[in-house]
Amino acid sequence: MSSGKDGKEKEKKAIDDVGFRRTWDRDAYEELAQQRLREEEEEEDRELDRAKDVRQTGPKVQRALLTGREYKVNLERKLGKTQVVTKETSLAQSGGYYCKVCDCVLKDSMNYLDHINGKKHQRNLGMSMRVERSSADQVRERLATVGKRKREAAEQYDLESRLKLLADEESANKKNKKERKKARKKELEETANAAEGMDPDMAALMGFSSFG
């Protein structure tokens, strides 16, 4: 109460009425602002102390360790869709990304991802932000699994590339065969045209007898 009276007195002192004009004592107002800031900080400290006391005296909640998601986050399910939102529309059906665990709506995908990866969402799921410490055997098993996947992917790639190479070679052979056949046919047509109208004896002498 005394601090409030002192503040009012300083405020009265800061204002000096001279006729119709007011002059302001900047030093007095600066001191008043600093005093209010100190009071706000003290109030915040008291609230933090009260919250700390409640946490210490309340029952301790045992939360599960943080685990990975077993589903794929679909951020494109509402892409390109139009939705009518009225006053009667439920929160889950309103625009944005709805989180049924926390019963809240996020306006864009970046905020939604930050939310579902955040501390509040994980605590509502019953998990802490601590992860399980892996043993040496688990690390070796994980490395072996990753190595196996890479080898399988490489073998699959080699098989696909080999099949593609064989298909390309077969296609090239068919194309070359078709071109050779076309060239041979053209050559025979040109030979037949050259032998047309020639003397039979002369054509036979030149090897054109088959076109007689």
Side-chain angles (χ1 to χ4, degrees):
M1 296 296 291
S2 59
S3 60
K5 290 182 179 180
D6 294 339
K8 289 182 180 180
E9 291 177 358
K10 290 181 181 179
E11 188 172 358
K12 288 180 180 179
K13 182 179 178 182
I15 302 174
D16 183 19
D17 291 328
V18 181
F20 61 91
R21 294 185 59 188
R22 281 186 173 184
T23 58
W24 306 89
D25 190 344
R26 294 185 177 180
D27 295 335
Y29 268 99
E30 184 177 356
E31 184 180 354
L32 185 62
Q34 293 294 335
Q35 181 180 350
R36 289 178 180 174
L37 182 61
R38 287 192 297 270
E39 290 176 356
E40 291 177 358
E41 291 177 350
E42 291 174 358
E43 181 63 24
E44 289 180 359
D45 293 338
R46 286 193 293 269
E47 290 180 358
L48 290 175
D49 291 339
R50 287 194 294 269
K52 185 177 180 180
D53 293 338
V54 170
R55 286 196 300 267
Q56 290 177 352
T57 57
K60 188 175 181 179
V61 179
Q62 186 68 29
R63 298 184 181 275
L65 296 174
L66 188 64
T67 58
R69 280 189 292 270
E70 297 180 354
Y71 62 93
K72 183 179 180 181
V73 179
N74 185 9
L75 300 176
E76 300 178 355
R77 62 184 184 275
K78 292 186 178 180
L79 187 64
K81 296 182 180 179
T82 303
Q83 187 171 353
V84 178
V85 179
T86 64
K87 293 181 179 179
E88 289 75 20
T89 304
S90 63
L91 190 63
Q93 299 298 325
S94 60
Y97 295 85
Y98 175 69
C99 175
K100 62 181 180 181
V101 176
C102 305
D103 192 28
C104 63
V105 174
L106 292 309
K107 295 301 181 183
D108 55 71
S109 58
M110 291 298 295
N111 286 327
Y112 180 70
L113 287 176
D114 290 341
H115 170 74
I116 62 178
N117 292 328
K119 184 176 181 180
K120 179 182 177 182
H121 182 80
Q122 301 300 331
R123 290 175 72 87
N124 288 337
L125 287 173
M127 291 188 290
S128 65
M129 298 302 288
R130 296 188 180 129
V131 296
E132 182 182 1
R133 187 179 179 86
S134 300
S135 63
D137 292 337
Q138 289 175 327
V139 173
R140 282 193 289 268
E141 183 179 355
R142 181 65 176 174
L143 291 175
T145 303
V146 173
K148 183 179 178 182
R149 288 178 181 174
K150 287 185 177 180
R151 288 192 298 272
E152 290 176 352
E155 292 174 359
Q156 182 69 20
Y157 174 76
D158 291 340
L159 178 60
E160 291 179 356
S161 60
R162 181 60 180 167
L163 291 175
K164 185 176 184 301
L165 181 61
L166 291 175
D168 293 341
E169 289 179 356
E170 185 178 358
S171 178
N173 291 333
K174 287 182 178 180
K175 185 177 180 180
N176 293 333
K177 187 176 181 181
K178 186 176 181 180
E179 289 178 353
R180 287 196 300 269
K181 186 176 181 180
K182 185 177 181 180
R184 178 62 178 166
K185 184 178 180 181
K186 184 178 180 181
E187 182 181 354
L188 292 175
E189 289 177 353
E190 290 176 352
T191 303
N193 292 333
E196 186 178 355
M198 292 181 66
D199 183 72
D201 295 333
M202 183 62 68
L205 182 63
M206 297 179 65
F208 297 149
S209 59
S210 59
F211 300 99

